[in-house]
Amino acid sequence: MNIIHCTPSHSTQWDDFVMQYEIATFYHRFAWKEINEKCFGHKAFYLAAIEGNQLRGIFPIIFLKSRLFGKILCSMPFMNLGGPCTTDRETEDALLDETRKILEVNKADYLEIRSLSKLNTSLPVAEHKISMTVDLANDPEVIWKAFKSKHRTNIRNAYNQGFTTLTGGEELLDDFYKILAESWRSLGTPLYAKSYFKEITKQLAPTISIFLVLHHDKPVGTAFNGLHRKTVEGLWAGTVAEYRRSDANYVLYWEMIKHYCEAGFGKFHLGRSTVDSGAEAFKKKWLAYGSQLYWQYILGRTREIPRLNVNNPKYQLAIRAWKRLPIELTKRIGPIIAKSIP
């Protein structure tokens, strides 16, 4: 078995593997390699295990370097999932061995592997995140009837308040970005440049779906989703601050669920949530159930699991300061910071 570092010439064979194996996800698509390299300048290691003419496994890894957060290898940064996809344990072990070499050669602090299942090896693991999933039905009425009565009432009330939705692709990108930039600023989180999202829609156009929720024709909320086989991946969503406590999201989420049911999708991943958080509680209203996420680590220069999350007290001062910055300033300096936060 040979472990190779893939180039664009391997993209077709790579994506064929991704489409063939159930464990592979939207985040394993080869396009993410060029997106990360072009938009952020990050080096990408796209490893493949080859035996004869057969591809037996893949492992996408992105290398982030910054003065703020150090040298981090991640599979996959900015996304919910990543990790190796293999046909057997021998292949997984071979790919992990290669990542250890990459870790050492690049003097990285650690490798973070985001996965829905534990790897077949003993690695330090963080289990603070879960993935929330709605099982869709061919007829959205089946899901509607399964909602609690109070939830159905909340949805009806939201429609009565004048909320409507639009769905499309790149043509909605300007409104999407305007809303997300305001939403993330109000949460104290730096956002990527608009060019990042534009490159995603360019590279993955047939599999990108953008929703807007409008209040009397004013865009106030949004969602950016990826489509992979029969699964919808919720990538980013946000609401402008003044509508965060409104019922806008009741219309947005119900319209998305209806749309994807009628389009023949089987599952809708609503993104990751912290256990026992408000986000988890809201998603459960839509019949979403949680699956444990395993963020596993191969440690390099650092000797303990990192704590790059908003609950870390050392980041609270920066978060509070960011919330007070003018929105246009956050759009200019936010991308410089955001590209280094996995």
Side-chain angles (χ1 to χ4, degrees):
M1 185 190 307
N2 294 319
I3 305 299
I4 65 170
H5 290 233
C6 293
T7 66
S9 65
H10 301 101
S11 62
T12 299
Q13 188 179 11
W14 178 290
D15 281 339
D16 286 346
F17 184 91
V18 169
M19 296 304 294
Q20 181 180 355
Y21 285 90
E22 193 68 29
I23 58 173
T25 70
F26 181 75
Y27 311 110
H28 288 90
R29 295 283 298 274
F30 197 86
W32 293 109
K33 181 179 189 296
E34 183 176 348
I35 291 169
N36 277 281
E37 291 172 335
K38 181 177 180 179
C39 295
F40 299 135
H42 296 325
K43 188 173 183 179
F45 301 94
Y46 270 50
L47 309 179
I50 306 287
E51 188 164 54
N53 294 322
Q54 184 181 4
L55 182 57
R56 290 178 51 180
I58 59 172
F59 197 167
I61 301 170
I62 307 299
F63 187 26
L64 298 78
K65 293 189 293 183
S66 76
R67 293 179 180 177
L68 283 175
F69 305 108
K71 296 181 177 181
I72 302 169
L73 292 164
C74 186
S75 181
M76 287 288 288
F78 324 121
M79 302 290 142
N80 297 319
L81 295 170
C85 295
T86 66
T87 58
D88 54 79
R89 179 168 181 174
E90 178 188 359
T91 305
E92 182 181 287
D93 289 343
L95 287 167
L96 286 171
D97 285 344
E98 182 66 16
T99 65
R100 291 184 175 93
K101 295 176 185 176
I102 294 171
L103 190 71
E104 182 177 356
V105 168
N106 290 279
K107 296 181 173 60
D109 298 323
Y110 58 87
L111 165 63
E112 181 177 80
I113 304 167
R114 302 177 176 182
S115 179
L116 269 173
S117 59
K118 287 186 177 180
L119 301 177
N120 293 310
T121 186
S122 178
L123 294 174
V125 60
E127 299 180 7
H128 60 297
K129 295 289 185 179
I130 55 176
S131 175
M132 301 297 291
T133 302
V134 177
D135 288 332
L136 302 178
N138 290 332
D139 182 0
E141 190 68 16
V142 173
I143 294 179
W144 176 262
K145 290 178 179 178
F147 290 152
K148 292 182 178 180
S149 175
K150 182 179 179 181
H151 188 53
R152 292 196 297 267
T153 298
N154 287 337
I155 297 171
R156 292 190 189 100
N157 287 340
Y159 281 107
N160 291 336
Q161 293 166 36
F163 291 108
T164 57
T165 60
L166 286 177
T167 181
E170 187 176 1
E171 73 277 8
L172 301 181
L173 194 59
D174 287 345
D175 284 328
F176 159 80
Y177 190 77
K178 182 179 179 181
I179 294 168
L180 202 67
E182 183 176 335
S183 175
W184 280 35
R185 190 278 304 268
S186 67
L187 295 172
T189 306
L191 181 62
Y192 323 109
K194 186 194 290 187
S195 57
Y196 172 60
F197 300 102
K198 189 169 185 177
E199 188 66 21
I200 293 171
T201 59
K202 174 185 173 184
Q203 296 265 359
L204 296 164
T207 59
I208 293 299
S209 173
I210 298 176
F211 271 79
L212 296 179
V213 59
L214 305 97
H215 189 235
H216 301 304
D217 298 326
K218 174 187 176 182
V220 298
T222 190
F224 190 113
N225 304 318
L227 313 176
H228 181 70
R229 292 196 298 258
K230 292 294 184 179
T231 299
V232 182
E233 293 285 350
L235 297 171
W236 298 281
T239 308
V240 297
E242 65 181 293
Y243 281 86
R244 185 162 292 133
R245 296 186 182 277
S246 75
D247 292 331
N249 279 329
Y250 283 97
V251 171
L252 175 62
Y253 275 75
W254 176 235
E255 288 294 331
M256 288 195 295
I257 288 171
K258 280 201 306 179
H259 176 84
Y260 295 127
C261 282
E262 292 166 353
F265 288 91
K267 292 184 182 297
F268 189 177
H269 292 162
L270 300 183
R272 65 178 184 260
S273 299
T274 302
V275 177
D276 296 327
S277 65
E280 180 192 9
F282 178 76
K283 291 171 184 178
K284 282 184 174 179
K285 293 180 180 180
W286 304 96
L287 310 180
Y289 55 89
S291 300
Q292 183 64 57
L293 291 176
Y294 300 97
W295 289 17
Q296 297 160 94
Y297 296 87
I298 298 178
L299 302 178
R301 296 195 305 176
T302 188
R303 305 317 305 167
E304 59 181 21
I305 292 179
R307 294 184 61 205
L308 283 180
N309 62 74
V310 295
N311 297 319
N312 190 330
K314 78 176 189 178
Y315 299 127
Q316 288 302 309
L317 180 61
I319 291 171
R320 289 195 294 271
W322 195 265
K323 292 179 179 180
R324 296 193 293 268
L325 293 178
I327 185 68
E328 292 304 318
L329 179 59
T330 66
K331 288 180 181 179
R332 289 198 298 271
I333 64 177
I336 301 171
I337 302 170
K339 72 176 186 178
S340 300
I341 306 174

